[in-house]
């Protein structure tokens, strides 16, 4: 499943005057082509790098099985793939191996990159617990839940399958894991979902709904 995650900011926690600019203190990103930072993504865009590649056999084998029961696998030969989307450091976020196996890769990456954005803003994890930090996620959704339902793997019947593929759970999971007490919400606006979530992250501190806002898009 192609996954692209972009996590950016917390925004300023200081009082903001009307018409003043919003400060972005930190960010993180993960894109096809191996770019794993805001600066890396900028270099890829500046040089016109082609991030599209033939599908890896780790995803599906388009050469050995020209006609597959999975429609996407039988039609798609090239796409933009995030490298290592199947990998996760679940112990860093107190997630059991069983739950991690039933989680959409998008959710696993959001945990890592969401925290990385806060860390990039020089925010200590210990200080985040109980803080009024808000999480605002643009999530267009995916087919991971359908893949689990039709999978022969035991994760398809896991008790974690429902939460692992739910769009509504993704933003709350980050808040719960880091102990954030600010507001959180998931926005599903298809392709521009991240753009829909960003204004909420900017406005939340201005309205005193949160001390800092974390805007994420996947």
């Amino acid at each position: 499943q192609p996954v692209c995650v972009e996590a950016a900011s917390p925004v300023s926690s200081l009082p903001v005057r009307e018409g003043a600019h919003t400060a972005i203190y930190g960010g993180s990103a993960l894109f096809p082509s191996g770019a794993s930072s805001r600066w890396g993504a900028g270099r890829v865009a500046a040089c016109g790098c082609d991030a599209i590649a033939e599908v890896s056999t780790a995803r599906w084998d388009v050469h050995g099985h020209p006609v597959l029961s999975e429609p996407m696998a039988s039609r798609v030969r090239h796409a933009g793939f995030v490298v290592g989307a199947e990998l996760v450091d679940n112990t860093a976020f107190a997630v059991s191996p069983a739950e991690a196996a039933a989680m959409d890769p998008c959710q696993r990456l959001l945990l890592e990159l969401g925290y990385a954005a806060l860390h990039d803003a020089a925010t200590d994890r210990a200080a985040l617990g109980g803080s009024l930090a808000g999480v605002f996620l643009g999530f267009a959704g995916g087919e991971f839940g359908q893949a689990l339902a039709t999978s022969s793997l035991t994760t398809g019947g896991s008790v974690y399958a429902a939460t692992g593929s739910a769009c509504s759970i993704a933003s709350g999971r980050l808040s719960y894991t880091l102990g954030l007490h600010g507001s959180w919400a998931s926005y599903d606006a298809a392709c521009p979902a991240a753009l829909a979530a960003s204004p909420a992250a900017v406005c939340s501190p201005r309205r005193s709904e949160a001390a800092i806002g974390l805007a994420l898009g996947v």
Side-chain angles (χ1 to χ4, degrees):
Q1 178 186 12
V3 179
C4 180
V5 177
E6 178 182 2
S9 64
V11 299
S12 175
S13 60
L14 300 177
V16 181
R17 300 188 309 274
E18 187 66 27
H21 295 289
T22 298
I24 296 180
Y25 288 136
S28 63
L30 185 60
F31 295 94
S33 79
S36 57
S37 68
R38 293 181 291 164
W39 298 274
R43 288 195 295 268
V44 170
C47 70
C49 173
D50 185 0
I52 304 303
E54 188 173 55
V55 58
S56 166
T57 54
R59 302 295 182 106
W60 57 77
D61 187 0
V62 295
H63 300 288
H65 304 281
V67 179
L68 302 176
S69 57
E70 165 53 50
M72 183 65 72
S74 63
R75 298 174 185 173
V76 176
R77 296 179 64 90
H78 298 82
F81 293 95
V82 168
V83 178
E86 73 283 4
L87 304 177
V88 61
D89 185 6
N90 57 290
T91 57
F93 300 99
V95 176
S96 69
E99 184 172 10
M103 286 171 58
D104 189 322
C106 294
Q107 290 197 26
R108 304 202 303 259
L109 291 170
L110 282 169
L111 284 175
E112 296 175 349
L113 293 171
Y115 173 65
L118 293 167
H119 188 269
D120 187 53
T123 305
D124 182 76
R125 182 168 182 175
L128 287 171
S131 66
L132 290 177
V135 177
F136 305 93
L137 166 68
F139 193 4
E143 298 79 35
F144 188 76
Q146 301 173 28
L148 278 184
T150 58
S151 173
S152 60
L153 300 177
T154 55
T155 50
S158 169
V159 295
Y160 301 112
T163 55
S165 58
C167 173
S168 58
I169 296 297
S171 55
R173 185 186 294 277
L174 184 60
S175 291
Y176 175 80
T177 301
L178 297 180
L180 311 181
H181 289 185
S183 54
W184 55 269
S186 299
Y187 297 79
D188 184 354
C191 294
L195 293 177
S198 296
V202 172
C203 294
S204 184
R206 295 182 179 182
R207 297 171 180 169
S208 300
E209 297 173 355
I212 58 176
L214 178 66
L216 305 102
V218 55

